Amino acid sequence: MEELFDGIYNNKNVLVTGHTGFKGSWLSIWLNELGANVIGYALDPYTDQDNFVVTNLSEKITDLRGEIRDYDNLLRTFKEEKPEIVFHLAAQPLVRLSYKEPRETYEVNVMGTVNVLEAARQSDSVKTVIIITSDKCYENNEWIWGYRENDPMGGYDPYSSSKGCAELVTSAYTRSFFDNEDSDIAVASVRAGNVIGGGDWAADRLITDCISYLKRDKAIEIRSPKAIRPWQHVLEPLRGYLLLASKLYQNPEKYTGAWNFGPDEASIVTVGELVDKLVNKWGSGEWIDTSNSNEPHEAKLLKLDISKARQHLNWEPKLSFDQTIDLVVDWYQNDNVDYDFDVEQIKEYMRVDK
């Protein structure tokens, strides 16, 4: 795989914050297969079933434990490990948890982003930084068309607001410190849809909840079956991040800024439709509606416009909605998932001809 993305990652020191998490672990595996020297900086994984754990990823990369709010430790990591490329994924990623822990959500998602950008600014090695935020960073009016990269930031709940704040921080740092001839650092931010895939066992995740019920032969409890979301397999946006970083490394002026990586229109469906597909592929199961009007507010509709990525990166989703569900179920139904299984899923994904 080392020839992919113009071979940019081969023998490069690449720092991934949040590498023990769902997206971070898949990204770290892919980078490792691209020949990168991967340095991970994160807290412990959520469970012993997580993708990071079952793939024994800690044996394949430099695995460092650290709090993203600990600037001194983070800066020390930058100085000692000398990354050239940085992917910042460490975050508090849950909407409902943000209602319970708003202060921590802002500290992690906003000041964590500040710390990464400041550590990069103080580094002599960093050339490229990708800040991963969320599609929820937009001021969501729940209209039927997709949000573009230049639409206003916002957020009803603390999580969404914190991601909008992280985008504003990234923009301010870029214009204040990096977007000039004296800086060698190029920065971009990326916004993806609702990402699903194997090895995500974090609390309060739809796929995690569904699989947990299915494995126990219990009816799946769904709290918001009519909510519409842009579903995509984890490898879809990760390919976008890797492609963008490789372009940004080679041509900073052209690729600096914000980018959306979302699914095709056919993959923007209701929660109920997704669960129906999942149950059908699983081969058994059912779900029940447990909607509660007293639950904290969550948006019912959110779409991304991916025209910019299509036109300027030649990136577009490879997988149909059915193919996405197939990959997800194949991972969770396999009792012997390991590093090689993940690599084979990446290869299978790359073989798909849109």
Side-chain angles (χ1 to χ4, degrees):
M1 272 196 248
E2 292 178 4
E3 73 282 358
L4 293 175
F5 309 111
D6 298 325
I8 286 295
Y9 298 102
N10 193 28
N11 290 321
K12 293 285 195 313
N13 289 348
V14 181
L15 175 65
V16 178
T17 72
H19 71 291
T20 59
F22 168 49
K23 288 174 72 175
S25 63
W26 278 98
L27 177 60
S28 297
I29 289 170
W30 202 338
L31 283 165
N32 192 56
E33 290 300 301
L34 292 170
N37 305 314
V38 183
I39 307 108
Y41 181 95
L43 300 176
D44 291 335
Y46 289 106
T47 75
D48 59 7
Q49 302 178 78
D50 283 12
N51 190 53
F52 174 83
V53 178
V54 299
T55 59
N56 291 313
L57 186 53
S58 62
E59 299 177 4
K60 303 282 188 179
I61 67 174
T62 300
D63 175 30
L64 304 177
R65 291 291 177 273
E67 167 63 66
I68 202 66
R69 291 174 289 183
D70 185 346
Y71 174 70
D72 290 340
N73 189 42
L74 183 64
L75 180 60
R76 190 179 310 113
T77 299
F78 272 73
K79 298 287 189 181
E80 293 177 355
E81 301 297 335
K82 302 186 183 307
E84 292 183 64
I85 301 171
V86 177
F87 292 91
H88 173 46
L89 292 91
Q92 192 296 90
L94 302 173
V95 171
R96 280 155 61 91
L97 182 60
S98 77
Y99 282 107
K100 298 177 182 177
E101 299 178 357
R103 185 169 177 271
E104 180 176 347
T105 298
Y106 283 108
E107 286 179 345
V108 172
N109 293 351
V110 183
M111 287 309 300
T113 301
V114 171
N115 288 344
V116 168
L117 291 168
E118 184 62 19
R121 189 167 79 94
Q122 300 299 331
S123 167
D124 294 328
S125 61
V126 175
K127 302 296 182 186
T128 301
V129 180
I130 303 293
I131 302 294
I132 288 82
T133 63
S134 169
D135 59 349
K136 295 177 180 64
C137 68
Y138 293 105
E139 182 62 41
N140 186 9
N141 297 304
E142 303 198 31
W143 50 41
I144 61 173
W145 52 85
Y147 291 94
R148 296 170 296 178
E149 288 84 351
N150 58 355
D151 281 325
M153 297 295 96
Y156 180 102
D157 56 87
Y159 168 78
S160 302
S161 169
S162 73
K163 288 301 187 177
C165 290
E167 286 284 353
L168 295 175
V169 165
T170 302
S171 176
Y173 257 81
T174 299
R175 288 183 289 182
S176 298
F177 305 117
F178 304 134
D179 192 15
N180 58 69
E181 60 185 20
D182 296 326
S183 174
D184 295 324
I185 300 174
V187 178
S189 65
V190 293
R191 307 151 183 180
N194 280 47
V195 176
I196 58 178
D200 183 7
W201 291 102
D204 212 20
R205 299 277 207 195
L206 177 61
I207 296 297
T208 304
D209 291 345
C210 289
I211 299 300
S212 297
Y213 282 113
L214 289 169
K215 284 181 175 288
R216 290 179 289 145
D217 293 322
K218 291 182 176 291
I220 302 166
E221 297 180 7
I222 302 298
R223 67 174 183 268
S224 190
K226 296 181 180 179
I228 298 172
R229 295 285 186 271
W231 308 101
Q232 58 189 153
H233 192 273
V234 63
L235 297 178
E236 297 273 42
L238 293 187
R239 177 169 57 90
Y241 303 169
L242 290 165
L243 177 60
L244 174 60
S246 70
K247 298 290 188 184
L248 189 62
Y249 188 91
Q250 299 173 86
N251 191 343
E253 292 184 4
K254 185 174 180 179
Y255 295 99
T256 292
W259 299 80
N260 287 338
F261 295 101
D264 284 329
E265 189 73 23
S267 293
I268 305 174
V269 303
T270 67
V271 169
E273 290 175 277
L274 181 144
V275 178
D276 283 337
K277 288 278 189 182
L278 190 71
V279 166
N280 183 63
K281 173 63 179 178
W282 190 267
S284 64
E286 60 180 350
W287 63 271
I288 56 176
D289 185 350
T290 60
S291 302
N292 182 348
S293 60
N294 294 322
E295 289 284 351
H297 173 272
E298 290 190 72
K300 302 300 182 186
L301 174 63
L302 177 60
K303 296 182 179 182
L304 291 176
D305 185 319
I306 57 173
S307 302
K308 181 180 177 183
R310 275 197 166 108
Q311 181 172 347
H312 296 290
L313 290 174
N314 197 28
W315 176 94
E316 64 178 356
K318 293 169 69 74
L319 300 176
S320 68
F321 189 53
D322 285 345
Q323 289 172 316
T324 294
I325 298 300
D326 287 348
L327 281 175
V328 171
V329 172
D330 287 348
W331 197 101
Y332 284 105
Q333 283 191 329
N334 191 308
D335 294 326
N336 298 301
V337 170
D338 57 12
Y339 181 90
D340 291 337
F341 185 89
D342 276 23
V343 171
E344 184 52 42
Q345 281 212 330
I346 294 172
K347 291 179 178 179
E348 180 183 349
Y349 165 74
M350 290 303 293
R351 286 194 292 266
V352 172
D353 186 12
K354 174 69 176 177

